[in-house]
Short mmCIF file of all heavy atoms in Angstrom, two decimals:
data_model
loop_
_atom_site.label_atom_id
_atom_site.label_comp_id
_atom_site.label_asym_id
_atom_site.label_seq_id
_atom_site.Cartn_x
_atom_site.Cartn_y
_atom_site.Cartn_z
N LEU A 15 0.83 -1.20 0.00
CA LEU A 15 0.00 0.00 0.00
C LEU A 15 0.87 1.25 0.00
O LEU A 15 0.56 2.24 -0.68
CB LEU A 15 -0.91 -0.01 1.22
CG LEU A 15 -1.79 1.24 1.42
CD1 LEU A 15 -2.72 1.43 0.23
CD2 LEU A 15 -2.58 1.12 2.72
N GLY A 16 1.97 1.21 0.78
CA GLY A 16 2.87 2.35 0.81
C GLY A 16 3.46 2.64 -0.55
O GLY A 16 3.59 3.80 -0.96
N HIS A 17 3.81 1.59 -1.29
CA HIS A 17 4.36 1.78 -2.63
C HIS A 17 3.34 2.45 -3.55
O HIS A 17 3.67 3.34 -4.33
CB HIS A 17 4.77 0.43 -3.21
CG HIS A 17 6.06 -0.08 -2.63
ND1 HIS A 17 6.95 -0.85 -3.34
CD2 HIS A 17 6.60 0.06 -1.40
CE1 HIS A 17 7.98 -1.16 -2.58
NE2 HIS A 17 7.78 -0.63 -1.39
N ARG A 18 2.08 1.99 -3.46
CA ARG A 18 1.05 2.57 -4.31
C ARG A 18 0.79 4.04 -3.96
O ARG A 18 0.60 4.88 -4.84
CB ARG A 18 -0.23 1.77 -4.18
CG ARG A 18 -0.12 0.36 -4.75
CD ARG A 18 -1.41 -0.42 -4.58
NE ARG A 18 -1.29 -1.76 -5.12
CZ ARG A 18 -2.26 -2.68 -5.06
NH1 ARG A 18 -3.41 -2.37 -4.47
NH2 ARG A 18 -2.07 -3.88 -5.57
N LEU A 19 0.79 4.34 -2.65
CA LEU A 19 0.59 5.73 -2.23
C LEU A 19 1.71 6.62 -2.74
O LEU A 19 1.49 7.76 -3.16
CB LEU A 19 0.49 5.81 -0.70
CG LEU A 19 -0.81 5.30 -0.08
CD1 LEU A 19 -0.71 5.32 1.44
CD2 LEU A 19 -1.99 6.14 -0.54
N LEU A 20 2.93 6.09 -2.69
CA LEU A 20 4.05 6.88 -3.16
C LEU A 20 3.95 7.16 -4.65
O LEU A 20 4.31 8.24 -5.13
CB LEU A 20 5.37 6.15 -2.85
CG LEU A 20 5.84 6.24 -1.40
CD1 LEU A 20 7.06 5.37 -1.19
CD2 LEU A 20 6.16 7.67 -1.04
N GLU A 21 3.46 6.19 -5.41
CA GLU A 21 3.30 6.42 -6.84
C GLU A 21 2.30 7.56 -7.10
O GLU A 21 2.49 8.39 -7.98
CB GLU A 21 2.81 5.13 -7.51
CG GLU A 21 3.85 4.01 -7.51
CD GLU A 21 3.29 2.73 -8.08
OE1 GLU A 21 2.09 2.71 -8.41
OE2 GLU A 21 4.05 1.75 -8.19
N ILE A 22 1.23 7.56 -6.28
CA ILE A 22 0.22 8.61 -6.44
C ILE A 22 0.78 9.96 -6.00
O ILE A 22 0.60 10.98 -6.67
CB ILE A 22 -1.03 8.26 -5.63
CG1 ILE A 22 -1.66 6.96 -6.18
CG2 ILE A 22 -2.05 9.39 -5.69
CD1 ILE A 22 -2.80 6.46 -5.33
N VAL A 23 1.48 9.96 -4.87
CA VAL A 23 2.00 11.22 -4.33
C VAL A 23 3.02 11.84 -5.25
O VAL A 23 3.00 13.04 -5.53
CB VAL A 23 2.59 10.97 -2.92
CG1 VAL A 23 3.36 12.20 -2.45
CG2 VAL A 23 1.49 10.63 -1.94
N THR A 24 3.93 11.02 -5.75
CA THR A 24 5.01 11.57 -6.59
C THR A 24 4.49 12.00 -7.95
O THR A 24 5.17 12.72 -8.67
CB THR A 24 6.11 10.53 -6.77
OG1 THR A 24 5.53 9.29 -7.24
CG2 THR A 24 6.83 10.28 -5.46
N ALA A 25 3.28 11.54 -8.32
CA ALA A 25 2.71 11.97 -9.59
C ALA A 25 2.06 13.34 -9.49
O ALA A 25 1.72 13.95 -10.50
CB ALA A 25 1.68 10.94 -10.08
N SER A 26 1.86 13.80 -8.26
CA SER A 26 1.26 15.12 -8.06
C SER A 26 2.21 15.97 -7.22
O SER A 26 3.41 15.70 -7.16
CB SER A 26 -0.11 14.97 -7.37
OG SER A 26 0.05 14.33 -6.12
N ASP A 27 1.67 16.96 -6.56
CA ASP A 27 2.48 17.83 -5.71
C ASP A 27 2.52 17.25 -4.29
O ASP A 27 1.50 17.23 -3.61
CB ASP A 27 1.89 19.23 -5.68
CG ASP A 27 2.73 20.19 -4.83
OD1 ASP A 27 3.86 19.80 -4.45
OD2 ASP A 27 2.24 21.29 -4.55
N PRO A 28 3.68 16.76 -3.81
CA PRO A 28 3.74 16.16 -2.48
C PRO A 28 3.32 17.12 -1.38
O PRO A 28 2.76 16.72 -0.37
CB PRO A 28 5.21 15.76 -2.34
CG PRO A 28 5.71 15.64 -3.74
CD PRO A 28 4.97 16.69 -4.51
N SER A 29 3.54 18.44 -1.57
CA SER A 29 3.22 19.41 -0.52
C SER A 29 1.71 19.60 -0.35
O SER A 29 1.27 20.18 0.64
CB SER A 29 3.88 20.75 -0.84
OG SER A 29 3.39 21.25 -2.07
N SER A 30 0.92 19.12 -1.33
CA SER A 30 -0.53 19.30 -1.23
C SER A 30 -1.20 18.21 -0.41
O SER A 30 -2.41 18.25 -0.22
CB SER A 30 -1.15 19.31 -2.63
OG SER A 30 -0.95 18.05 -3.26
N THR A 31 -0.45 17.23 0.07
CA THR A 31 -1.02 16.14 0.86
C THR A 31 -0.54 16.26 2.30
O THR A 31 0.36 17.02 2.63
CB THR A 31 -0.58 14.77 0.31
OG1 THR A 31 0.82 14.61 0.52
CG2 THR A 31 -0.88 14.66 -1.17
N GLN A 32 -1.16 15.47 3.18
CA GLN A 32 -0.76 15.43 4.59
C GLN A 32 0.09 14.19 4.88
O GLN A 32 0.27 13.82 6.04
CB GLN A 32 -2.01 15.43 5.47
CG GLN A 32 -2.83 16.70 5.35
CD GLN A 32 -4.03 16.69 6.27
OE1 GLN A 32 -4.30 15.70 6.94
NE2 GLN A 32 -4.75 17.79 6.32
N ILE A 33 0.58 13.54 3.85
CA ILE A 33 1.39 12.33 4.02
C ILE A 33 2.86 12.72 4.09
O ILE A 33 3.36 13.46 3.23
CB ILE A 33 1.16 11.35 2.86
CG1 ILE A 33 -0.31 10.89 2.84
CG2 ILE A 33 2.07 10.14 2.99
CD1 ILE A 33 -0.65 10.00 1.67
N ASP A 34 3.55 12.24 5.10
CA ASP A 34 5.01 12.43 5.18
C ASP A 34 5.64 11.40 4.24
O ASP A 34 6.00 10.30 4.63
CB ASP A 34 5.49 12.22 6.62
CG ASP A 34 6.95 12.59 6.79
OD1 ASP A 34 7.65 12.71 5.76
OD2 ASP A 34 7.40 12.74 7.94
N TYR A 35 5.73 11.78 2.96
CA TYR A 35 6.15 10.81 1.95
C TYR A 35 7.60 10.38 2.13
O TYR A 35 8.00 9.29 1.77
CB TYR A 35 5.91 11.37 0.55
CG TYR A 35 6.88 12.45 0.14
CD1 TYR A 35 8.00 12.15 -0.62
CD2 TYR A 35 6.68 13.78 0.51
CE1 TYR A 35 8.88 13.14 -1.01
CE2 TYR A 35 7.55 14.77 0.13
CZ TYR A 35 8.66 14.44 -0.62
OH TYR A 35 9.53 15.42 -0.99
N ARG A 36 8.42 11.25 2.73
CA ARG A 36 9.81 10.87 2.94
C ARG A 36 9.93 9.76 4.00
O ARG A 36 10.66 8.78 3.84
CB ARG A 36 10.65 12.09 3.35
CG ARG A 36 10.88 13.06 2.22
CD ARG A 36 11.82 14.18 2.62
NE ARG A 36 12.10 15.03 1.49
CZ ARG A 36 13.05 14.80 0.60
NH1 ARG A 36 13.81 13.74 0.72
NH2 ARG A 36 13.24 15.63 -0.41
N GLN A 37 9.20 9.94 5.09
CA GLN A 37 9.24 8.90 6.13
C GLN A 37 8.59 7.62 5.63
O GLN A 37 9.07 6.51 5.91
CB GLN A 37 8.53 9.39 7.39
CG GLN A 37 8.68 8.44 8.58
CD GLN A 37 8.02 8.98 9.82
OE1 GLN A 37 7.04 9.67 9.76
NE2 GLN A 37 8.57 8.64 10.97
N LEU A 38 7.51 7.74 4.86
CA LEU A 38 6.84 6.56 4.32
C LEU A 38 7.76 5.80 3.38
O LEU A 38 7.84 4.57 3.41
CB LEU A 38 5.57 6.99 3.59
CG LEU A 38 4.72 5.86 2.98
CD1 LEU A 38 4.26 4.90 4.07
CD2 LEU A 38 3.53 6.44 2.23
N SER A 39 8.48 6.51 2.55
CA SER A 39 9.41 5.85 1.62
C SER A 39 10.56 5.21 2.37
O SER A 39 11.05 4.15 2.00
CB SER A 39 9.94 6.87 0.61
OG SER A 39 10.70 7.87 1.27
N GLN A 40 10.98 5.84 3.46
CA GLN A 40 12.07 5.29 4.25
C GLN A 40 11.66 3.97 4.89
O GLN A 40 12.41 3.00 4.88
CB GLN A 40 12.48 6.30 5.33
CG GLN A 40 13.86 6.05 5.91
CD GLN A 40 14.25 7.19 6.84
OE1 GLN A 40 13.45 7.66 7.64
NE2 GLN A 40 15.48 7.64 6.74
N ARG A 41 10.44 3.91 5.43
CA ARG A 41 9.97 2.68 6.07
C ARG A 41 9.68 1.60 5.04
O ARG A 41 9.68 0.42 5.35
CB ARG A 41 8.72 2.96 6.89
CG ARG A 41 8.94 3.94 8.03
CD ARG A 41 7.71 4.01 8.92
NE ARG A 41 7.81 5.10 9.87
CZ ARG A 41 6.90 5.37 10.79
NH1 ARG A 41 5.83 4.61 10.89
NH2 ARG A 41 7.05 6.37 11.63
N SER A 42 9.37 2.01 3.79
CA SER A 42 9.06 1.05 2.74
C SER A 42 10.28 0.67 1.92
O SER A 42 10.16 -0.01 0.91
CB SER A 42 7.99 1.63 1.81
OG SER A 42 6.84 1.98 2.54
N ASP A 43 11.46 1.13 2.36
CA ASP A 43 12.71 0.80 1.68
C ASP A 43 12.71 1.27 0.22
O ASP A 43 13.17 0.58 -0.69
CB ASP A 43 12.98 -0.71 1.73
CG ASP A 43 13.22 -1.19 3.14
OD1 ASP A 43 13.76 -0.39 3.93
OD2 ASP A 43 12.89 -2.34 3.44
N MET A 44 12.17 2.47 -0.02
CA MET A 44 12.20 3.04 -1.36
C MET A 44 13.08 4.28 -1.35
O MET A 44 13.06 5.06 -0.41
CB MET A 44 10.77 3.42 -1.82
CG MET A 44 9.86 2.23 -2.06
SD MET A 44 8.30 2.72 -2.83
CE MET A 44 8.88 3.29 -4.42
N PRO A 45 13.87 4.47 -2.40
CA PRO A 45 14.77 5.63 -2.44
C PRO A 45 14.00 6.93 -2.60
O PRO A 45 12.90 6.96 -3.16
CB PRO A 45 15.65 5.34 -3.67
CG PRO A 45 14.80 4.47 -4.53
CD PRO A 45 13.98 3.62 -3.59
N VAL A 46 14.59 8.02 -2.11
CA VAL A 46 13.97 9.35 -2.18
C VAL A 46 14.91 10.27 -2.94
O VAL A 46 16.11 10.31 -2.69
CB VAL A 46 13.71 9.90 -0.76
CG1 VAL A 46 13.09 11.29 -0.86
CG2 VAL A 46 12.78 8.97 0.00
N LEU A 47 14.34 11.02 -3.87
CA LEU A 47 15.13 11.98 -4.63
C LEU A 47 15.41 13.22 -3.80
O LEU A 47 14.58 13.65 -3.00
CB LEU A 47 14.39 12.37 -5.91
CG LEU A 47 14.14 11.25 -6.95
CD1 LEU A 47 13.30 11.81 -8.09
CD2 LEU A 47 15.45 10.69 -7.46
N THR A 48 16.59 13.79 -4.02
CA THR A 48 16.91 15.06 -3.40
C THR A 48 16.18 16.18 -4.14
O THR A 48 15.72 15.99 -5.28
CB THR A 48 18.42 15.31 -3.44
OG1 THR A 48 18.83 15.42 -4.81
CG2 THR A 48 19.17 14.17 -2.76
N PRO A 49 16.05 17.38 -3.54
CA PRO A 49 15.39 18.49 -4.25
C PRO A 49 16.05 18.79 -5.59
O PRO A 49 15.36 19.14 -6.56
CB PRO A 49 15.54 19.66 -3.26
CG PRO A 49 15.59 18.99 -1.91
CD PRO A 49 16.34 17.72 -2.13
N GLU A 50 17.38 18.67 -5.67
CA GLU A 50 18.07 18.92 -6.93
C GLU A 50 17.68 17.90 -7.99
O GLU A 50 17.47 18.22 -9.17
CB GLU A 50 19.59 18.91 -6.72
CG GLU A 50 20.13 20.05 -5.86
CD GLU A 50 19.89 19.82 -4.37
OE1 GLU A 50 19.48 18.69 -4.02
OE2 GLU A 50 20.09 20.76 -3.57
N GLU A 51 17.59 16.60 -7.56
CA GLU A 51 17.21 15.56 -8.52
C GLU A 51 15.76 15.73 -8.97
O GLU A 51 15.42 15.45 -10.12
CB GLU A 51 17.40 14.18 -7.88
CG GLU A 51 18.87 13.84 -7.65
CD GLU A 51 19.04 12.57 -6.83
OE1 GLU A 51 18.11 12.24 -6.04
OE2 GLU A 51 20.07 11.89 -6.97
N VAL A 52 14.89 16.18 -8.06
CA VAL A 52 13.50 16.43 -8.44
C VAL A 52 13.42 17.54 -9.48
O VAL A 52 12.68 17.45 -10.48
CB VAL A 52 12.67 16.80 -7.19
CG1 VAL A 52 11.27 17.26 -7.60
CG2 VAL A 52 12.57 15.61 -6.25
N GLU A 53 14.18 18.62 -9.28
CA GLU A 53 14.19 19.73 -10.22
C GLU A 53 14.74 19.29 -11.57
O GLU A 53 14.20 19.68 -12.63
CB GLU A 53 15.03 20.88 -9.65
CG GLU A 53 15.12 22.10 -10.55
CD GLU A 53 13.75 22.74 -10.79
OE1 GLU A 53 12.86 22.56 -9.94
OE2 GLU A 53 13.59 23.43 -11.82
#
């Protein structure tokens, strides 16, 4: 479920949700892009 939520979150604006996507990705063993990589 965490993986699916991350797919949805990263497809939109993460700041518009109340999900701590960084912590969720950390617990789900998924890599997180840095702000530079996102840009």
Side-chain angles (χ1 to χ4, degrees):
L15 176 61
H17 284 212
R18 293 179 180 177
L19 286 175
L20 282 174
E21 292 176 357
I22 297 173
V23 169
T24 53
S26 60
D27 182 10
S29 61
S30 63
T31 68
Q32 296 182 356
I33 298 176
D34 188 344
Y35 74 96
R36 288 185 176 274
Q37 188 177 32
L38 181 60
S39 64
Q40 199 173 43
R41 298 189 190 182
S42 303
D43 295 328
M44 292 189 66
V46 179
L47 296 176
T48 63
E50 293 78 10
E51 292 171 334
V52 172
E53 180 62 25

